[in-house]
Amino acid sequence: MKDSLDTPSPTEPTPLFDGLAYAGVLPFVVGIWMVWQGTVVLGIDGRLLFAGYSACILSFLGGIWWAGALNRPDHPRRLGLTLQSNGVALVAWLGLLVSTVSLWGLLLLAAGFAYVRWEEARLNPNARRLRHYFRTRSRVSYLVIGCHLVMLVLLLWRAPGA
Protein backbone atom coordinates (compact mmCIF):
# COMPACT_ATOMS: atom_id res chain seq x y z
CA MET A 1 0.00 0.00 0.00
CA LYS A 2 1.39 3.35 -1.00
CA ASP A 3 1.83 6.06 1.59
CA SER A 4 0.05 9.30 0.70
CA LEU A 5 3.36 11.05 1.34
CA ASP A 6 4.90 9.12 -1.58
CA THR A 7 2.63 10.69 -4.18
CA PRO A 8 4.20 13.52 -6.15
CA SER A 9 3.11 16.91 -4.98
CA PRO A 10 2.89 20.34 -6.58
CA THR A 11 4.45 21.65 -3.37
CA GLU A 12 7.81 20.01 -4.14
CA PRO A 13 10.57 22.26 -2.74
CA THR A 14 11.83 24.89 -5.12
CA PRO A 15 15.01 26.92 -5.42
CA LEU A 16 13.18 29.54 -3.33
CA PHE A 17 12.76 27.01 -0.49
CA ASP A 18 16.45 26.09 -0.65
CA GLY A 19 17.51 29.72 -0.88
CA LEU A 20 15.47 30.72 2.15
CA ALA A 21 16.70 27.72 4.13
CA TYR A 22 20.35 28.52 3.46
CA ALA A 23 19.80 32.28 3.89
CA GLY A 24 18.53 31.43 7.37
CA VAL A 25 22.12 30.61 8.32
CA LEU A 26 23.28 34.19 7.60
CA PRO A 27 22.13 35.75 10.91
CA PHE A 28 24.19 33.12 12.74
CA VAL A 29 27.23 34.07 10.67
CA VAL A 30 26.56 37.79 11.29
CA GLY A 31 26.41 37.12 15.05
CA ILE A 32 29.74 35.29 14.90
CA TRP A 33 31.26 38.12 12.87
CA MET A 34 29.96 40.72 15.35
CA VAL A 35 31.55 38.86 18.27
CA TRP A 36 34.79 38.44 16.31
CA GLN A 37 34.88 42.17 15.55
CA GLY A 38 33.52 43.31 18.92
CA THR A 39 30.69 45.11 17.11
CA VAL A 40 27.52 46.33 18.81
CA VAL A 41 24.57 47.59 16.75
CA LEU A 42 21.74 49.47 18.45
CA GLY A 43 22.91 48.08 21.80
CA ILE A 44 22.80 44.49 20.56
CA ASP A 45 26.03 42.54 20.58
CA GLY A 46 26.72 39.49 18.44
CA ARG A 47 26.12 37.04 21.26
CA LEU A 48 22.61 38.33 21.93
CA LEU A 49 21.80 38.49 18.21
CA PHE A 50 23.03 34.92 17.78
CA ALA A 51 21.20 33.48 20.80
CA GLY A 52 18.00 35.41 20.11
CA TYR A 53 17.88 34.31 16.50
CA SER A 54 18.75 30.75 17.51
CA ALA A 55 15.87 30.64 19.99
CA CYS A 56 13.50 32.10 17.38
CA ILE A 57 14.41 29.53 14.73
CA LEU A 58 14.34 26.64 17.20
CA SER A 59 10.85 27.71 18.30
CA PHE A 60 9.83 27.98 14.63
CA LEU A 61 10.98 24.39 14.05
CA GLY A 62 8.92 23.28 17.04
CA GLY A 63 5.98 25.12 15.52
CA ILE A 64 6.35 23.06 12.36
CA TRP A 65 5.80 19.93 14.48
CA TRP A 66 2.79 21.55 16.14
CA ALA A 67 1.28 22.36 12.74
CA GLY A 68 2.01 18.84 11.54
CA ALA A 69 0.20 17.39 14.54
CA LEU A 70 -2.78 19.68 13.96
CA ASN A 71 -2.99 18.89 10.25
CA ARG A 72 -2.58 15.13 10.57
CA PRO A 73 -5.07 13.91 13.21
CA ASP A 74 -4.39 10.33 12.07
CA HIS A 75 -0.60 10.60 12.58
CA PRO A 76 0.56 7.82 14.93
CA ARG A 77 2.88 10.22 16.79
CA ARG A 78 0.48 13.15 16.98
CA LEU A 79 0.53 13.50 20.78
CA GLY A 80 4.31 13.09 20.86
CA LEU A 81 4.84 15.75 18.21
CA THR A 82 2.54 18.15 20.04
CA LEU A 83 4.37 17.69 23.34
CA GLN A 84 7.79 17.80 21.69
CA SER A 85 6.93 21.01 19.88
CA ASN A 86 6.27 22.65 23.22
CA GLY A 87 9.43 21.12 24.69
CA VAL A 88 11.56 22.48 21.85
CA ALA A 89 10.09 25.97 22.33
CA LEU A 90 10.79 25.81 26.08
CA VAL A 91 14.37 24.67 25.47
CA ALA A 92 14.81 27.58 23.06
CA TRP A 93 13.48 30.05 25.63
CA LEU A 94 15.63 28.61 28.41
CA GLY A 95 18.68 28.58 26.12
CA LEU A 96 18.14 32.25 25.34
CA LEU A 97 17.79 33.19 29.00
CA VAL A 98 20.84 31.19 30.08
CA SER A 99 22.95 32.40 27.14
CA THR A 100 22.92 35.93 28.54
CA VAL A 101 24.92 34.80 31.58
CA SER A 102 26.59 31.56 30.54
CA LEU A 103 27.93 29.65 27.56
CA TRP A 104 25.71 26.76 28.66
CA GLY A 105 22.78 28.52 27.00
CA LEU A 106 24.45 28.33 23.58
CA LEU A 107 25.26 24.68 24.20
CA LEU A 108 21.60 24.08 25.11
CA LEU A 109 20.47 25.79 21.90
CA ALA A 110 22.92 23.70 19.84
CA ALA A 111 21.60 20.57 21.55
CA GLY A 112 18.06 21.69 20.67
CA PHE A 113 18.99 21.86 16.97
CA ALA A 114 20.69 18.46 17.19
CA TYR A 115 17.57 17.01 18.81
CA VAL A 116 15.30 18.45 16.10
CA ARG A 117 17.60 17.01 13.43
CA TRP A 118 17.58 13.59 15.13
CA GLU A 119 13.81 13.59 15.57
CA GLU A 120 13.16 14.71 11.99
CA ALA A 121 15.26 11.80 10.76
CA ARG A 122 12.62 9.54 12.32
CA LEU A 123 9.67 11.22 10.55
CA ASN A 124 9.93 9.39 7.21
CA PRO A 125 12.55 11.38 5.32
CA ASN A 126 12.49 8.78 2.54
CA ALA A 127 9.00 9.65 1.36
CA ARG A 128 9.54 10.90 -2.18
CA ARG A 129 7.65 14.14 -1.60
CA LEU A 130 9.71 14.99 1.49
CA ARG A 131 13.14 13.71 0.44
CA HIS A 132 14.37 17.07 -0.88
CA TYR A 133 12.98 18.91 2.15
CA PHE A 134 14.73 16.61 4.61
CA ARG A 135 18.00 16.70 2.67
CA THR A 136 18.03 20.51 2.74
CA ARG A 137 16.90 20.60 6.38
CA SER A 138 19.68 18.17 7.33
CA ARG A 139 22.36 20.24 5.64
CA VAL A 140 21.11 23.48 7.13
CA SER A 141 20.84 21.86 10.57
CA TYR A 142 24.47 20.76 10.43
CA LEU A 143 25.52 24.26 9.37
CA VAL A 144 23.58 25.79 12.26
CA ILE A 145 25.02 23.34 14.80
CA GLY A 146 28.47 24.12 13.39
CA CYS A 147 27.81 27.85 13.83
CA HIS A 148 26.92 27.22 17.48
CA LEU A 149 30.19 25.37 17.99
CA VAL A 150 32.15 28.16 16.29
CA MET A 151 30.43 30.73 18.52
CA LEU A 152 31.22 28.69 21.64
CA VAL A 153 34.89 28.38 20.67
CA LEU A 154 35.07 32.09 19.82
CA LEU A 155 33.52 33.10 23.15
CA LEU A 156 35.84 30.77 25.07
CA TRP A 157 38.80 32.12 23.15
CA ARG A 158 37.79 35.74 23.80
CA ALA A 159 36.87 35.15 27.45
CA PRO A 160 38.89 37.19 29.94
CA GLY A 161 41.65 35.10 31.47
CA ALA A 162 41.36 32.44 28.78
Side-chain angles (χ1 to χ4, degrees):
M1 184 165 155
K2 279 189 119 182
D3 183 348
S4 64
L5 295 177
D6 283 328
T7 57
S9 167
T11 60
E12 190 69 27
T14 63
L16 177 62
F17 167 81
D18 284 346
L20 290 173
Y22 286 107
V25 177
L26 289 177
F28 292 110
V29 174
V30 169
I32 290 168
W33 178 84
M34 287 174 69
V35 167
W36 178 263
Q37 296 296 316
T39 303
V40 175
V41 177
L42 300 173
I44 299 171
D45 67 359
R47 183 175 177 169
L48 179 59
L49 172 74
F50 188 99
Y53 183 71
S54 180
C56 177
I57 295 301
L58 197 51
S59 294
F60 171 78
L61 294 174
I64 291 171
W65 290 352
W66 179 276
L70 287 176
N71 290 317
R72 292 279 313 269
D74 59 329
H75 194 286
R77 294 185 50 219
R78 183 176 190 214
L79 177 61
L81 286 173
T82 303
L83 296 175
Q84 287 174 329
S85 72
N86 285 274
V88 166
L90 290 173
V91 164
W93 179 71
L94 181 61
L96 176 60
L97 290 178
V98 174
S99 73
T100 62
V101 294
S102 165
L103 295 180
W104 287 106
L106 290 174
L107 194 57
L108 183 60
L109 289 165
F113 280 97
Y115 176 77
V116 167
R117 169 62 195 104
W118 174 77
E119 189 61 37
E120 282 187 344
R122 299 173 49 199
L123 290 175
N124 196 9
N126 294 319
R128 186 178 19 200
R129 190 184 98 191
L130 299 175
R131 194 172 300 137
H132 185 87
Y133 169 80
F134 279 112
R135 184 175 37 244
T136 300
R137 282 281 308 118
S138 293
R139 290 174 181 162
V140 170
S141 292
Y142 293 133
L143 286 171
V144 167
I145 292 166
C147 285
H148 281 76
L149 297 177
V150 168
M151 179 62 91
L152 284 165
V153 168
L154 180 60
L155 290 171
L156 285 170
W157 177 63
R158 292 214 172 234

mmCIF file of all heavy atoms in Angstrom, residues 26-58:
data_model
loop_
_atom_site.group_PDB
_atom_site.id
_atom_site.type_symbol
_atom_site.label_atom_id
_atom_site.label_comp_id
_atom_site.label_asym_id
_atom_site.label_seq_id
_atom_site.Cartn_x
_atom_site.Cartn_y
_atom_site.Cartn_z
ATOM 1 N N LEU A 26 22.555 32.907 7.600
ATOM 2 C CA LEU A 26 23.284 34.188 7.601
ATOM 3 C C LEU A 26 23.244 34.935 8.933
ATOM 4 O O LEU A 26 24.275 35.451 9.368
ATOM 5 C CB LEU A 26 22.795 35.075 6.458
ATOM 6 C CG LEU A 26 23.210 34.614 5.067
ATOM 7 C CD1 LEU A 26 22.601 35.516 4.003
ATOM 8 C CD2 LEU A 26 24.718 34.564 4.934
ATOM 9 N N PRO A 27 22.100 35.056 9.622
ATOM 10 C CA PRO A 27 22.130 35.754 10.914
ATOM 11 C C PRO A 27 23.061 35.091 11.940
ATOM 12 O O PRO A 27 23.652 35.783 12.772
ATOM 13 C CB PRO A 27 20.670 35.711 11.375
ATOM 14 C CG PRO A 27 19.894 35.659 10.092
ATOM 15 C CD PRO A 27 20.720 34.772 9.197
ATOM 16 N N PHE A 28 23.219 33.788 11.861
ATOM 17 C CA PHE A 28 24.188 33.125 12.743
ATOM 18 C C PHE A 28 25.603 33.583 12.406
ATOM 19 O O PHE A 28 26.397 33.900 13.294
ATOM 20 C CB PHE A 28 24.092 31.597 12.613
ATOM 21 C CG PHE A 28 22.818 31.021 13.142
ATOM 22 C CD1 PHE A 28 21.866 30.495 12.286
ATOM 23 C CD2 PHE A 28 22.562 30.980 14.509
ATOM 24 C CE1 PHE A 28 20.687 29.948 12.769
ATOM 25 C CE2 PHE A 28 21.384 30.444 15.005
ATOM 26 C CZ PHE A 28 20.445 29.929 14.137
ATOM 27 N N VAL A 29 25.905 33.639 11.114
ATOM 28 C CA VAL A 29 27.225 34.070 10.669
ATOM 29 C C VAL A 29 27.460 35.532 11.045
ATOM 30 O O VAL A 29 28.556 35.896 11.494
ATOM 31 C CB VAL A 29 27.387 33.839 9.144
ATOM 32 C CG1 VAL A 29 28.691 34.423 8.619
ATOM 33 C CG2 VAL A 29 27.291 32.347 8.830
ATOM 34 N N VAL A 30 26.441 36.373 10.910
ATOM 35 C CA VAL A 30 26.561 37.785 11.291
ATOM 36 C C VAL A 30 26.843 37.899 12.794
ATOM 37 O O VAL A 30 27.690 38.685 13.220
ATOM 38 C CB VAL A 30 25.296 38.582 10.902
ATOM 39 C CG1 VAL A 30 25.295 39.963 11.530
ATOM 40 C CG2 VAL A 30 25.184 38.676 9.381
ATOM 41 N N GLY A 31 26.150 37.102 13.606
ATOM 42 C CA GLY A 31 26.409 37.117 15.048
ATOM 43 C C GLY A 31 27.837 36.729 15.372
ATOM 44 O O GLY A 31 28.495 37.358 16.220
ATOM 45 N N ILE A 32 28.351 35.710 14.703
ATOM 46 C CA ILE A 32 29.741 35.287 14.901
ATOM 47 C C ILE A 32 30.685 36.418 14.501
ATOM 48 O O ILE A 32 31.624 36.752 15.228
ATOM 49 C CB ILE A 32 30.036 33.998 14.094
ATOM 50 C CG1 ILE A 32 29.286 32.810 14.708
ATOM 51 C CG2 ILE A 32 31.536 33.723 14.028
ATOM 52 C CD1 ILE A 32 29.277 31.562 13.841
ATOM 53 N N TRP A 33 30.416 37.018 13.352
ATOM 54 C CA TRP A 33 31.259 38.116 12.874
ATOM 55 C C TRP A 33 31.239 39.290 13.858
ATOM 56 O O TRP A 33 32.282 39.880 14.142
ATOM 57 C CB TRP A 33 30.786 38.569 11.485
ATOM 58 C CG TRP A 33 31.586 39.721 10.965
ATOM 59 C CD1 TRP A 33 32.786 39.669 10.312
ATOM 60 C CD2 TRP A 33 31.239 41.106 11.069
ATOM 61 N NE1 TRP A 33 33.205 40.940 10.005
ATOM 62 C CE2 TRP A 33 32.276 41.839 10.468
ATOM 63 C CE3 TRP A 33 30.165 41.794 11.621
ATOM 64 C CZ2 TRP A 33 32.257 43.226 10.395
ATOM 65 C CZ3 TRP A 33 30.144 43.173 11.551
ATOM 66 C CH2 TRP A 33 31.181 43.875 10.935
ATOM 67 N N MET A 34 30.062 39.599 14.394
ATOM 68 C CA MET A 34 29.956 40.715 15.345
ATOM 69 C C MET A 34 30.782 40.437 16.598
ATOM 70 O O MET A 34 31.447 41.341 17.125
ATOM 71 C CB MET A 34 28.491 40.979 15.716
ATOM 72 C CG MET A 34 27.698 41.644 14.608
ATOM 73 S SD MET A 34 25.933 41.792 15.000
ATOM 74 C CE MET A 34 25.973 43.025 16.317
ATOM 75 N N VAL A 35 30.737 39.205 17.098
ATOM 76 C CA VAL A 35 31.555 38.860 18.274
ATOM 77 C C VAL A 35 33.029 38.938 17.916
ATOM 78 O O VAL A 35 33.840 39.479 18.664
ATOM 79 C CB VAL A 35 31.177 37.462 18.825
ATOM 80 C CG1 VAL A 35 32.204 36.963 19.820
ATOM 81 C CG2 VAL A 35 29.797 37.500 19.462
ATOM 82 N N TRP A 36 33.390 38.424 16.757
ATOM 83 C CA TRP A 36 34.788 38.439 16.309
ATOM 84 C C TRP A 36 35.315 39.872 16.235
ATOM 85 O O TRP A 36 36.442 40.153 16.642
ATOM 86 C CB TRP A 36 34.882 37.760 14.942
ATOM 87 C CG TRP A 36 36.273 37.761 14.378
ATOM 88 C CD1 TRP A 36 36.798 38.648 13.481
ATOM 89 C CD2 TRP A 36 37.308 36.837 14.670
ATOM 90 N NE1 TRP A 36 38.098 38.327 13.196
ATOM 91 C CE2 TRP A 36 38.434 37.205 13.924
ATOM 92 C CE3 TRP A 36 37.395 35.724 15.503
ATOM 93 C CZ2 TRP A 36 39.633 36.515 13.981
ATOM 94 C CZ3 TRP A 36 38.582 35.027 15.546
ATOM 95 C CH2 TRP A 36 39.687 35.426 14.797
ATOM 96 N N GLN A 37 34.482 40.772 15.716
ATOM 97 C CA GLN A 37 34.882 42.168 15.546
ATOM 98 C C GLN A 37 34.630 43.025 16.786
ATOM 99 O O GLN A 37 35.086 44.164 16.841
ATOM 100 C CB GLN A 37 34.131 42.785 14.355
ATOM 101 C CG GLN A 37 34.470 42.159 13.028
ATOM 102 C CD GLN A 37 35.922 42.375 12.655
ATOM 103 O OE1 GLN A 37 36.462 43.463 12.795
ATOM 104 N NE2 GLN A 37 36.562 41.310 12.202
ATOM 105 N N GLY A 38 33.870 42.506 17.741
ATOM 106 C CA GLY A 38 33.517 43.306 18.919
ATOM 107 C C GLY A 38 32.500 44.385 18.587
ATOM 108 O O GLY A 38 32.449 45.430 19.228
ATOM 109 N N THR A 39 31.662 44.134 17.599
ATOM 110 C CA THR A 39 30.686 45.112 17.114
ATOM 111 C C THR A 39 29.388 45.037 17.905
ATOM 112 O O THR A 39 28.911 43.955 18.234
ATOM 113 C CB THR A 39 30.386 44.847 15.620
ATOM 114 O OG1 THR A 39 31.604 44.906 14.891
ATOM 115 C CG2 THR A 39 29.406 45.844 15.064
ATOM 116 N N VAL A 40 28.828 46.221 18.178
ATOM 117 C CA VAL A 40 27.521 46.326 18.813
ATOM 118 C C VAL A 40 26.672 47.246 17.931
ATOM 119 O O VAL A 40 27.118 48.315 17.547
ATOM 120 C CB VAL A 40 27.629 46.919 20.240
ATOM 121 C CG1 VAL A 40 26.262 47.136 20.847
ATOM 122 C CG2 VAL A 40 28.486 46.020 21.123
ATOM 123 N N VAL A 41 25.466 46.795 17.587
ATOM 124 C CA VAL A 41 24.569 47.592 16.751
ATOM 125 C C VAL A 41 23.274 47.817 17.514
ATOM 126 O O VAL A 41 22.612 46.856 17.930
ATOM 127 C CB VAL A 41 24.281 46.870 15.403
ATOM 128 C CG1 VAL A 41 23.287 47.652 14.573
ATOM 129 C CG2 VAL A 41 25.569 46.625 14.631
ATOM 130 N N LEU A 42 22.940 49.087 17.723
ATOM 131 C CA LEU A 42 21.736 49.466 18.454
ATOM 132 C C LEU A 42 21.682 48.800 19.830
ATOM 133 O O LEU A 42 20.638 48.364 20.295
ATOM 134 C CB LEU A 42 20.478 49.122 17.652
ATOM 135 C CG LEU A 42 20.355 49.794 16.286
ATOM 136 C CD1 LEU A 42 19.157 49.242 15.522
ATOM 137 C CD2 LEU A 42 20.253 51.308 16.423
ATOM 138 N N GLY A 43 22.827 48.677 20.463
ATOM 139 C CA GLY A 43 22.909 48.084 21.800
ATOM 140 C C GLY A 43 22.860 46.564 21.814
ATOM 141 O O GLY A 43 22.808 45.959 22.882
ATOM 142 N N ILE A 44 22.871 45.958 20.645
ATOM 143 C CA ILE A 44 22.796 44.492 20.556
ATOM 144 C C ILE A 44 24.159 43.969 20.120
ATOM 145 O O ILE A 44 24.641 44.329 19.041
ATOM 146 C CB ILE A 44 21.709 44.050 19.561
ATOM 147 C CG1 ILE A 44 20.346 44.555 20.027
ATOM 148 C CG2 ILE A 44 21.705 42.537 19.397
ATOM 149 C CD1 ILE A 44 19.236 44.372 19.023
ATOM 150 N N ASP A 45 24.748 43.124 20.968
ATOM 151 C CA ASP A 45 26.025 42.536 20.585
ATOM 152 C C ASP A 45 25.781 41.232 19.824
ATOM 153 O O ASP A 45 24.658 40.733 19.739
ATOM 154 C CB ASP A 45 26.930 42.320 21.793
ATOM 155 C CG ASP A 45 26.424 41.272 22.770
ATOM 156 O OD1 ASP A 45 25.340 40.691 22.553
ATOM 157 O OD2 ASP A 45 27.126 41.017 23.759
ATOM 158 N N GLY A 46 26.829 40.687 19.262
ATOM 159 C CA GLY A 46 26.717 39.488 18.440
ATOM 160 C C GLY A 46 26.203 38.274 19.193
ATOM 161 O O GLY A 46 25.466 37.453 18.653
ATOM 162 N N ARG A 47 26.573 38.189 20.465
ATOM 163 C CA ARG A 47 26.121 37.036 21.263
ATOM 164 C C ARG A 47 24.612 37.056 21.455
ATOM 165 O O ARG A 47 23.939 36.038 21.316
ATOM 166 C CB ARG A 47 26.836 37.056 22.614
ATOM 167 C CG ARG A 47 26.529 35.898 23.487
ATOM 168 C CD ARG A 47 27.384 35.968 24.729
ATOM 169 N NE ARG A 47 27.080 34.919 25.655
ATOM 170 C CZ ARG A 47 27.810 34.641 26.698
ATOM 171 N NH1 ARG A 47 28.903 35.340 26.942
ATOM 172 N NH2 ARG A 47 27.467 33.679 27.514
ATOM 173 N N LEU A 48 24.062 38.227 21.756
ATOM 174 C CA LEU A 48 22.609 38.335 21.934
ATOM 175 C C LEU A 48 21.885 38.116 20.603
ATOM 176 O O LEU A 48 20.870 37.422 20.554
ATOM 177 C CB LEU A 48 22.232 39.694 22.523
ATOM 178 C CG LEU A 48 20.742 39.939 22.724
ATOM 179 C CD1 LEU A 48 20.130 38.888 23.650
ATOM 180 C CD2 LEU A 48 20.497 41.337 23.257
ATOM 181 N N LEU A 49 22.401 38.697 19.519
ATOM 182 C CA LEU A 49 21.803 38.486 18.206
ATOM 183 C C LEU A 49 21.777 36.994 17.875
ATOM 184 O O LEU A 49 20.756 36.457 17.468
ATOM 185 C CB LEU A 49 22.584 39.245 17.127
ATOM 186 C CG LEU A 49 22.149 38.943 15.694
ATOM 187 C CD1 LEU A 49 20.820 39.612 15.389
ATOM 188 C CD2 LEU A 49 23.209 39.382 14.710
ATOM 189 N N PHE A 50 22.903 36.335 18.085
ATOM 190 C CA PHE A 50 23.035 34.923 17.776
ATOM 191 C C PHE A 50 22.059 34.089 18.610
ATOM 192 O O PHE A 50 21.302 33.282 18.073
ATOM 193 C CB PHE A 50 24.479 34.474 18.056
ATOM 194 C CG PHE A 50 24.794 33.090 17.596
ATOM 195 C CD1 PHE A 50 25.446 32.889 16.392
ATOM 196 C CD2 PHE A 50 24.471 31.985 18.359
ATOM 197 C CE1 PHE A 50 25.756 31.610 15.955
ATOM 198 C CE2 PHE A 50 24.772 30.703 17.943
ATOM 199 C CZ PHE A 50 25.420 30.507 16.734
ATOM 200 N N ALA A 51 22.062 34.283 19.915
ATOM 201 C CA ALA A 51 21.204 33.484 20.804
ATOM 202 C C ALA A 51 19.728 33.793 20.573
ATOM 203 O O ALA A 51 18.892 32.880 20.567
ATOM 204 C CB ALA A 51 21.576 33.733 22.263
ATOM 205 N N GLY A 52 19.397 35.050 20.365
ATOM 206 C CA GLY A 52 18.002 35.414 20.115
ATOM 207 C C GLY A 52 17.478 34.810 18.828
ATOM 208 O O GLY A 52 16.367 34.261 18.776
ATOM 209 N N TYR A 53 18.283 34.889 17.780
ATOM 210 C CA TYR A 53 17.878 34.306 16.499
ATOM 211 C C TYR A 53 17.802 32.785 16.604
ATOM 212 O O TYR A 53 16.880 32.159 16.086
ATOM 213 C CB TYR A 53 18.863 34.729 15.399
ATOM 214 C CG TYR A 53 18.467 34.222 14.043
ATOM 215 C CD1 TYR A 53 17.363 34.739 13.374
ATOM 216 C CD2 TYR A 53 19.197 33.209 13.428
ATOM 217 C CE1 TYR A 53 16.998 34.262 12.124
ATOM 218 C CE2 TYR A 53 18.833 32.732 12.181
ATOM 219 C CZ TYR A 53 17.731 33.262 11.534
ATOM 220 O OH TYR A 53 17.375 32.778 10.303
ATOM 221 N N SER A 54 18.742 32.199 17.310
ATOM 222 C CA SER A 54 18.747 30.755 17.511
ATOM 223 C C SER A 54 17.468 30.296 18.197
ATOM 224 O O SER A 54 16.825 29.334 17.771
ATOM 225 C CB SER A 54 19.975 30.346 18.334
ATOM 226 O OG SER A 54 20.003 28.963 18.551
ATOM 227 N N ALA A 55 17.090 30.991 19.266
ATOM 228 C CA ALA A 55 15.866 30.639 19.991
ATOM 229 C C ALA A 55 14.634 30.810 19.101
ATOM 230 O O ALA A 55 13.712 29.987 19.141
ATOM 231 C CB ALA A 55 15.734 31.498 21.249
ATOM 232 N N CYS A 56 14.626 31.855 18.291
ATOM 233 C CA CYS A 56 13.503 32.098 17.377
ATOM 234 C C CYS A 56 13.366 30.961 16.378
ATOM 235 O O CYS A 56 12.266 30.417 16.181
ATOM 236 C CB CYS A 56 13.727 33.432 16.667
ATOM 237 S SG CYS A 56 12.472 33.836 15.446
ATOM 238 N N ILE A 57 14.458 30.572 15.751
ATOM 239 C CA ILE A 57 14.407 29.526 14.730
ATOM 240 C C ILE A 57 14.084 28.172 15.363
ATOM 241 O O ILE A 57 13.304 27.393 14.808
ATOM 242 C CB ILE A 57 15.728 29.467 13.935
ATOM 243 C CG1 ILE A 57 15.920 30.756 13.143
ATOM 244 C CG2 ILE A 57 15.773 28.247 13.020
ATOM 245 C CD1 ILE A 57 14.793 31.068 12.151
ATOM 246 N N LEU A 58 14.648 27.902 16.521
ATOM 247 C CA LEU A 58 14.339 26.637 17.197
ATOM 248 C C LEU A 58 12.856 26.569 17.557
ATOM 249 O O LEU A 58 12.214 25.530 17.378
ATOM 250 C CB LEU A 58 15.221 26.491 18.439
ATOM 251 C CG LEU A 58 15.362 25.116 19.050
ATOM 252 C CD1 LEU A 58 15.743 24.059 18.032
ATOM 253 C CD2 LEU A 58 16.383 25.161 20.174
#
